[in-house]
Amino acid sequence: MGLNCVRAVDPLSAMIPRNGLDATPVKESGLPIIFLIGGPGAGKSTQCTRIAQHYGFCAIISKQLLRAEVSTGSQRGVILAYLMSESKLVPSDVMVELIMAKMLSRLHDTRGFLLSGFPREKTQCQHFDRQIRPPDLVLYLYVRESLLIDRILARAITATERSQRSIDEKWQYIKEHSRMIKPIFRYYKKKLVIIDGEKDETEVFEDICRAIDNVMMNFPTTSRKSS
């Protein structure tokens, strides 16, 4: 199942250490912040890596942040590992704090921040806007649910992964994601650009670039890195 995307909250969440980071340097940096969201199998990770390299952005992939924290073996990492193993919600303020720490560490060697797979639900939007600042652009990779399940199953290697139970679980995950993404659309409707994620990978990349270029005109001190 997915990371930090199910609403049930475990009592252990309150025990997760918070570091109380100060986001002021990020707010004052003048660097663009872009969200790249979409269903499982929409191609977020592929496009995120390519776009970040093209523009000289810092790519922040939510699931990688969580796995990195778990790998530290810290108290926070242990609790996060448990929550994720149970498909339970990682508290929004903790997720945002992990993102903030990454942003603070890269302030002086990046032209902007590209967040992939975040936010997963409206509460994360609210926490991010409050703890850091609102994003400048929200890109949504649209792919039909039926195609998403085809893509996910195409990744499966073993016969057991193709079991009916596995298919049902993945289908439920896609349905849950679709339900939770709609409030995000309404919340960020003025900054939302929908990208046809069913096109060829290069065409999707070009469409994303056009949307980003329109926003980057508002950041004259941030030049685009040549591809």
Side-chain angles (χ1 to χ4, degrees):
M1 294 296 288
L3 304 176
N4 70 302
C5 62
V6 180
R7 287 190 176 277
V9 178
D10 191 275
L12 275 175
S13 296
M15 297 174 59
I16 300 176
R18 271 74 166 175
N19 296 329
L21 299 175
D22 180 9
T24 301
V26 177
K27 297 175 183 177
E28 296 179 348
S29 69
L31 294 172
I33 297 175
I34 298 170
F35 291 166
L36 179 63
I37 59 178
K44 298 184 297 297
S45 295
T46 299
Q47 293 296 338
C48 181
T49 301
R50 189 171 180 180
I51 292 295
Q53 182 177 14
H54 183 63
Y55 287 92
F57 289 163
C58 170
I60 302 177
I61 300 176
S62 57
K63 62 183 178 182
Q64 291 183 358
L65 283 183
L66 290 168
R67 288 168 180 164
E69 185 64 26
V70 168
S71 70
T72 66
S74 65
Q75 178 184 349
R76 180 161 68 174
V78 170
I79 297 175
L80 290 179
Y82 167 76
L83 293 176
M84 289 186 285
S85 70
E86 296 292 318
S87 296
K88 293 181 178 179
L89 180 70
V90 172
S92 296
D93 64 323
V94 174
M95 190 70 237
V96 171
E97 192 171 88
L98 290 174
I99 292 170
M100 190 191 307
K102 181 71 172 182
M103 296 174 85
L104 289 168
S105 72
R106 295 293 307 278
L107 270 180
H108 303 295
D109 66 352
T110 186
R111 293 185 173 94
F113 298 100
L114 180 62
L115 279 61
S116 173
F118 179 93
R120 296 286 183 94
E121 44 106 27
K122 183 179 175 181
T123 303
Q124 292 184 342
C125 304
Q126 296 167 329
H127 274 278
F128 188 93
D129 289 5
R130 184 165 59 249
Q131 292 178 240
I132 302 179
R133 71 167 178 80
D136 301 288
L137 176 66
V138 178
L139 297 165
Y140 174 62
L141 289 180
Y142 170 75
V143 177
R144 286 168 294 167
E145 291 181 354
S146 58
L147 184 53
L148 288 177
I149 193 67
D150 287 345
R151 289 182 177 182
I152 291 174
L153 292 178
R155 296 174 179 174
I157 300 173
T158 66
T160 55
E161 286 182 294
R162 291 182 179 273
S163 70
Q164 187 60 45
R165 180 181 177 183
S166 177
I167 294 173
D168 289 344
E169 288 177 346
K170 289 179 172 63
W171 184 251
Q172 187 60 40
Y173 178 38
I174 290 172
K175 288 290 187 182
E176 178 70 2
H177 180 276
S178 297
R179 183 185 68 80
M180 297 178 72
I181 205 79
K182 291 176 183 177
I184 297 176
F185 292 164
R186 292 190 291 269
Y187 189 85
Y188 285 132
K189 62 183 179 181
K190 294 182 178 179
K191 299 180 179 181
L192 179 67
V193 174
I194 298 176
I195 304 293
D196 185 352
E198 297 184 8
K199 291 183 178 180
D200 174 79
E201 181 182 315
T202 298
E203 290 182 282
V204 173
F205 170 76
E206 292 171 350
D207 288 346
I208 291 175
C209 285
R210 277 190 285 271
I212 293 177
D213 287 345
N214 288 334
V215 169
M216 294 299 284
M217 290 188 294
N218 299 322
F219 297 87
T221 59
T222 306
S223 59
R224 184 174 73 179
K225 184 179 179 181
S226 59
S227 56

